[in-house]
Amino acid sequence: MLVQTYYLNNKGFADSLLTDIQGFYLKEINTYNSEGLKINTVSKSKYMNTNMTDTTTYQYVNGNLSKEIFSDGNYTLITDFEYYTDKINYSKKSNEAQDFTNDNVNLRKKATTNSGNVTNYAYEFDADGKVLKQITTFSRGDISSKTFTWICK
């Protein structure tokens, strides 16, 4: 059974998260800047008497996550993000309510890692400019899609 406990700050975002998945424990501690954007996550986990710690830092441009740097002390993964600056992320507030952390202002266009992986994002929209479908293409050729239904306008 999965049990997650969020500890929220005055903006409704998670300062920390405790996860228990049948003996695997994870504690995430988040730090936010003055704009309310998550800038750092320290994750500590324990599984079968093995303790692990990793850190992820986040950088933003115009309210969009531009760079994510993950490190576990032995390995570092850097991901750079690009956005469609003319396409508003209408699901921002809904995503924030589900994830308890900030979301991007615009729709993601591309993610590129220092290991050479590239992920591209394309969208189909309704007449109001809201996403109906997200198509994700991965560098190895795989494609996935998500469909969205908007009940409130």
Side-chain angles (χ1 to χ4, degrees):
M1 177 165 68
L2 168 68
V3 177
Q4 291 185 304
T5 306
Y6 293 87
Y7 296 91
L8 306 181
N9 61 25
N10 62 357
K11 293 184 186 246
F13 293 151
D15 279 339
S16 61
L17 164 63
L18 302 177
T19 302
D20 179 358
I21 309 171
Q22 299 176 351
F24 172 78
Y25 299 98
L26 173 68
K27 180 177 184 177
E28 294 182 3
I29 301 167
N30 298 316
T31 305
Y32 298 86
N33 66 14
S34 61
E35 297 172 47
L37 301 173
K38 182 169 61 171
I39 57 171
N40 191 61
T41 299
V42 176
S43 300
K44 296 183 178 194
S45 57
K46 182 174 185 177
Y47 182 68
M48 298 182 72
N49 296 321
T50 301
N51 293 314
M52 298 170 276
T53 301
D54 58 64
T55 302
T56 307
T57 58
Y58 310 92
Q59 299 172 13
Y60 299 85
V61 174
N62 298 322
N64 295 311
L65 177 63
S66 60
K67 184 180 291 267
E68 180 179 287
I69 304 167
F70 166 88
S71 178
D72 65 4
N74 297 313
Y75 174 75
T76 299
L77 179 67
I78 301 170
T79 307
D80 292 299
F81 300 97
E82 297 175 30
Y83 294 85
Y84 294 98
T85 56
D86 61 335
K87 306 216 180 315
I88 296 171
N89 180 7
Y90 286 104
S91 62
K92 178 179 178 0
K93 290 212 180 272
S94 175
N95 293 341
E96 290 174 344
Q98 292 175 52
D99 299 334
F100 299 107
T101 189
N102 56 283
D103 197 18
N104 299 301
V105 172
N106 299 106
L107 296 176
R108 184 168 290 159
K109 183 178 191 176
K110 186 177 184 179
T112 306
T113 69
N114 62 327
S115 62
N117 291 317
V118 177
T119 304
N120 290 293
Y121 302 86
Y123 304 89
E124 294 176 10
F125 302 93
D126 67 11
D128 297 324
K130 294 178 180 163
V131 174
L132 293 175
K133 187 175 186 180
Q134 174 185 306
I135 302 106
T136 307
T137 305
F138 302 93
S139 53
R140 63 186 173 274
D142 296 335
I143 298 173
S144 71
S145 66
K146 282 196 247 184
T147 56
F148 299 85
T149 302
W150 295 86
I151 296 172
C152 301
K153 292 223 175 203

